[in-house]
Amino acid sequence: MQEVILAFITAFSLTYYAIPSVILIAKEKQLVDMPGGRHSHKEITPSLGGVGIFAGFVFSMVLWLDYQNVDGIQYLICSLLILFLIGLRDDIIPLNARVKLFAQLLAASILVFKSGFILDSFHGLFGVEELSKPLAFCVSLLLYIFLINAFNLIDGINGLSGSISMIISVVAGVWFFLIDNISHSIICFALAGAIVGFLRYNILSAKIFMGDTGSTILGLMCGFISVEMMSINSSLPVSEVYRIDSIPAVIVGIYIFPIFDTVRVFTIRILRGGSPFKPDRRHIHHMMIDVGLSHFQATSMLVLINLIFLLIVFSFQTIGAFYLLLVIFALATGLTMVLLRVNGKVTSRKIEKDKRSEDAVTKEI
């Protein structure tokens, strides 16, 4: 217990006190994110918050973790370092999408082929249990790449990606602690501490953004957490009180916002004949801003909804993974339809208002 608390405090403290220096240097060197275009912020803002998150998290993990209890952890650090360097380069001077994808594949490949942190079973989902090695490697690579990009895509308003990642890391950290897996709990709470230290400067009046440096690291870590939760859960005896039923569906429920929003946006882009990676303003958080909510209000509402889904999946985990997936995706689709309807009404009112103003000007002329 002591190491878990110290890991959180160490990561929080280092990130909390490092961020002001990062902000100062970024402003002096003009390493900032300019407003306009798809961006919803109105002021010039540094986008190197991921530097503080990476420093706090990795330092705390290295300091407090007993490496003998987590085989392959050195490969996780190598993968994080790759994403940190490529993300930092992209935040300073934007990179080609292919270069970023190659770096993500390299980082994910190290985890899959060197560390053994792979998804080797569907745990009964769709009637599938153990996967063959080649299929497990392919599925694991896709999972890591998907989550890296999912957390990058939802990093569009203040505090959102960080808050969702914090929920995931805390929930996983508590679960690992309850099953007496202190090493994984340390990793999760070190990550949570770094995120909380960053959110102090991002969630209200954003003084800094996490940038790709931060969002890709969070995505990779959430992939690692999900794979390890499923793997460790399957090794627990059926009599274990904290063993999770329908573990794949529960994981999806915990990650519901980044997963659902990414699948939804990618599907729309593909159906419209565009690239799934071409940015636009079809994300749920963008629609919430468009209906008049502030960044803080939109983030708070999405975090609350994510917590509700978390309670649902843990409360109904015994109904089976397939049926639980149907429930959470049906709920997510229903809520999105409501938002689309509200967004459409607001847009119509704005168009009508603009038209009336234009007619009034025409009459005066």
Side-chain angles (χ1 to χ4, degrees):
M1 181 66 175
Q2 181 180 352
E3 290 86 354
V4 173
I5 296 173
L6 288 173
F8 179 90
I9 293 174
T10 301
F12 168 80
S13 301
L14 186 55
T15 302
Y16 181 86
Y17 288 109
I19 291 290
S21 296
V22 174
I23 293 173
L24 179 63
I25 294 170
K27 286 185 175 180
E28 287 187 354
K29 300 299 181 180
Q30 294 297 303
L31 306 175
V32 295
D33 196 23
M34 304 299 292
R38 292 174 53 255
H39 302 290
S40 52
H41 63 282
K42 298 179 181 179
E43 297 180 3
I44 295 174
T45 309
S47 57
L48 296 177
V51 173
I53 294 173
F54 177 82
F57 167 56
V58 173
F59 179 86
S60 179
M61 182 170 63
V62 170
L63 181 63
W64 297 110
L65 188 63
D66 184 353
Y67 291 93
Q68 294 181 350
N69 294 330
V70 187
D71 291 334
I73 195 66
Q74 70 271 28
Y75 300 116
L76 174 63
I77 296 175
C78 289
S79 296
L80 289 170
L81 186 58
I82 289 171
L83 291 183
F84 170 76
L85 292 173
I86 205 72
L88 183 61
R89 169 64 166 79
D90 187 53
D91 288 332
I92 296 173
I93 303 175
L95 284 169
N96 183 284
R98 293 181 181 179
V99 176
K100 291 191 287 185
L101 181 59
F102 174 78
Q104 293 170 10
L105 279 169
L106 179 59
S109 296
I110 290 174
L111 284 183
V112 170
F113 296 108
K114 291 292 291 181
S115 69
F117 298 134
I118 62 172
L119 182 63
D120 56 5
S121 172
F122 277 0
H123 305 279
L125 181 63
F126 307 123
V128 180
E129 291 290 345
E130 187 174 350
L131 301 175
S132 64
K133 279 290 184 181
L135 184 57
F137 288 150
C138 292
V139 170
S140 300
L141 280 174
L142 288 173
L143 174 65
Y144 283 119
I145 297 298
F146 176 82
L147 288 177
I148 288 170
N149 285 282
F151 279 87
N152 188 24
L153 289 171
I154 68 169
D155 185 35
I157 59 175
N158 299 345
L160 181 56
S161 186
S163 297
I164 298 296
S165 303
M166 182 189 66
I167 291 172
I168 292 168
S169 56
V170 168
V171 169
V174 170
W175 182 76
F176 283 127
F177 180 79
L178 291 174
I179 64 171
D180 203 30
N181 191 317
I182 302 303
S183 297
H184 281 75
S185 185
I186 288 173
I187 294 172
C188 292
F189 276 100
L191 181 63
I195 295 170
V196 174
F198 163 77
L199 287 175
R200 159 65 179 81
Y201 303 96
N202 176 256
I203 198 166
L204 290 173
S205 178
K207 296 179 176 66
I208 190 170
F209 301 141
M210 68 170 61
D212 280 11
T213 311
S215 62
T216 55
I217 286 172
L218 295 183
L220 182 75
M221 283 307 304
C222 287
F224 165 80
I225 289 170
S226 63
V227 166
E228 286 298 274
M229 281 187 72
M230 285 188 275
S231 176
I232 293 171
N233 185 75
S234 65
S235 67
L236 296 175
V238 178
S239 58
E240 168 62 53
V241 66
Y242 296 113
R243 192 177 194 274
I244 301 174
D245 295 326
S246 308
I247 183 69
V250 171
I251 293 293
V252 171
I254 297 172
Y255 291 61
I256 186 60
F257 176 64
I259 289 177
F260 180 80
D261 189 52
T262 301
V263 170
R264 173 186 157 275
V265 170
F266 275 17
T267 302
I268 292 173
R269 291 173 183 173
I270 292 170
L271 291 176
R272 296 195 175 194
S275 168
F277 297 101
K278 186 178 180 180
D280 55 36
R281 285 185 61 84
R282 293 193 180 98
H283 293 284
I284 291 172
H285 55 270
H286 284 142
M287 289 193 291
M288 297 182 79
I289 296 297
D290 291 342
V291 301
L293 296 180
S294 67
H295 281 225
F296 180 74
Q297 290 170 334
T299 293
S300 299
M301 186 172 293
L302 289 170
V303 167
L304 177 60
I305 291 171
N306 210 101
L307 287 171
I308 291 171
F309 272 89
L310 192 152
L311 292 173
I312 290 172
V313 293
F314 275 109
S315 300
F316 296 95
Q317 58 180 289
T318 56
I319 68 174
F322 178 74
Y323 293 108
L324 189 54
L325 277 180
L326 286 180
V327 169
I328 58 181
F329 272 100
L331 284 173
T333 302
L335 290 171
T336 304
M337 294 299 291
V338 171
L339 178 59
L340 284 168
R341 187 175 179 83
V342 173
N343 185 266
K345 288 183 177 180
V346 170
T347 302
S348 297
R349 289 172 186 170
K350 286 181 180 178
I351 294 173
E352 188 177 336
K353 184 179 179 181
D354 291 341
K355 187 177 180 181
R356 284 200 301 265
S357 299
E358 197 174 298
D359 291 341
V361 172
T362 303
K363 287 181 180 179
E364 287 180 5
I365 294 174

